[in-house]
Amino acid sequence: MNSKVFMVVRIILGLFLLVFGLNKFLNFLPAPEGMSEAAGAYFGALMSAKVITLVAIVEVLTGLAFILNKYGALMAIILMSVSVNIVLFHATLNPEGIGPGLVVLILNILVLYGYKDTYKDLLAG
C-alpha cells in the first residue's frame, strides 16, 4: 500500500475511533434511536458490566496510536476484536446501524495490511 494512502487511512480511522471513544465518556453525540429490545438489553448488560468503558479506552488509545503513529501495529491487532464485535452486534441485533461498524472493520483491515511488514517475524512460524 502506498505510504501516503496508508497514512490517510490510519489517520481517518484514528479520528473516527477517537471521536466515538471519547463520546462514550463525554456523551456529546446523540444516542442512537430505534434499537430493538434485544439490542437494548444486550447493550445495557455491557454498560452495567463496564465493558463499554473498556471498549472506549481501547478506542481512544488506538485512535491516538494511529494519529501519532506510535504502537499502531499492536493497536490494530487489539482493535480487530472490537471491530469484529461491533459488526457482529449490528448484524445480529441492530442491522440498520451496521454502516459505521463496517467502516471501522474495513479501515482496520486496511491498517493491518499497511502494517504487514511489521507482522512478518510474528507470523514466520
Side-chain angles (χ1 to χ4, degrees):
M1 180 184 304
N2 183 345
S3 64
K4 289 186 183 193
V5 172
F6 174 63
M7 181 185 70
V8 168
V9 169
R10 184 177 44 81
I11 291 174
I12 288 172
L13 180 57
L15 290 172
F16 199 79
L17 292 169
L18 191 60
V19 167
F20 284 101
L22 288 174
N23 182 57
K24 289 176 179 66
F25 292 117
L26 305 175
N27 298 315
F28 52 84
L29 296 174
E33 296 177 11
M35 263 199 259
S36 68
E37 186 177 328
Y42 181 73
F43 199 75
L46 293 177
M47 292 282 286
S48 67
K50 305 295 184 203
V51 173
I52 296 299
T53 303
L54 177 62
V55 169
I57 290 168
V58 168
E59 287 176 347
V60 169
L61 291 177
T62 304
L64 289 172
F66 289 162
I67 292 168
L68 301 174
N69 199 22
K70 299 286 183 186
Y71 304 106
L74 172 64
M75 297 309 285
I77 292 173
I78 294 170
L79 180 66
M80 195 57 164
S81 63
V82 173
S83 300
V84 169
N85 277 292
I86 291 169
V87 170
L88 289 175
F89 168 79
H90 285 291
T92 57
L93 297 173
N94 191 19
E96 57 274 357
I98 200 167
L102 281 175
V103 169
V104 169
L105 180 62
I106 291 167
L107 289 175
N108 193 7
I109 291 169
L110 290 173
V111 168
L112 282 168
Y113 180 77
Y115 283 120
K116 71 181 180 306
D117 293 336
T118 307
Y119 304 129
K120 283 184 178 177
D121 291 334
L122 179 65
L123 300 173

